[in-house]
Amino acid sequence: MPSAEVWACLPFRVLASAGQDGQATPEGRHRDGVTLVSSLLIGRQNVTGGESSVYDMAGAPVLATTLSKPGSLLLGDDRHTLHEVLPIRPLDPAQGARCDILVTTLLPR
């Protein structure tokens, strides 16, 4: 049997309210320990912030972007980069904020 691949699809919902930021990556800048990692934006409601940043292994910035439209995708080589997402906050503090992301990872065996 040829070597298999392990895919994982993980839905994340990040919530924020007035005075309580939503943390997409509470661990800060990190690697997931896989080969490839992608983040697909499903939706954002009443959100500001949430910038995704990618760094080389020495910590130098490679890319910074905000996934703002549903269907926006960020794909990274987790073997050679680090990534983090800044907190989200509500645009209108009288209402909650929500950001839904589907994270997919690949790890060949």
Side-chain angles (χ1 to χ4, degrees):
M1 175 179 240
S3 65
E5 298 172 346
V6 178
W7 289 91
C9 293
L10 309 163
F12 285 94
R13 173 166 279 176
V14 182
L15 302 172
S17 59
Q20 182 65 49
D21 292 350
Q23 304 288 335
T25 55
E27 67 272 48
R29 195 178 299 179
H30 68 283
R31 290 180 52 230
D32 291 318
V34 298
T35 301
L36 295 174
V37 60
S38 71
S39 297
L40 174 66
L41 178 65
I42 303 303
R44 289 168 60 105
Q45 182 176 17
N46 192 39
V47 170
T48 187
E51 180 180 79
S52 297
S53 297
V54 179
Y55 305 88
D56 68 18
M57 295 303 283
V62 174
L63 172 80
T65 188
T66 300
L67 302 177
S68 58
K69 296 181 182 176
S72 299
L73 178 74
L74 181 62
L75 175 65
D77 182 344
D78 198 55
R79 298 166 298 181
H80 303 290
T81 60
L82 303 163
H83 59 274
E84 70 179 336
V85 180
L86 296 179
I88 66 168
R89 295 177 185 85
L91 277 170
D92 175 358
Q95 299 178 18
R98 175 186 51 79
C99 186
D100 292 323
I101 300 280
L102 182 64
V103 173
T104 304
T105 60
L106 169 67
L107 181 62
R109 287 195 235 190

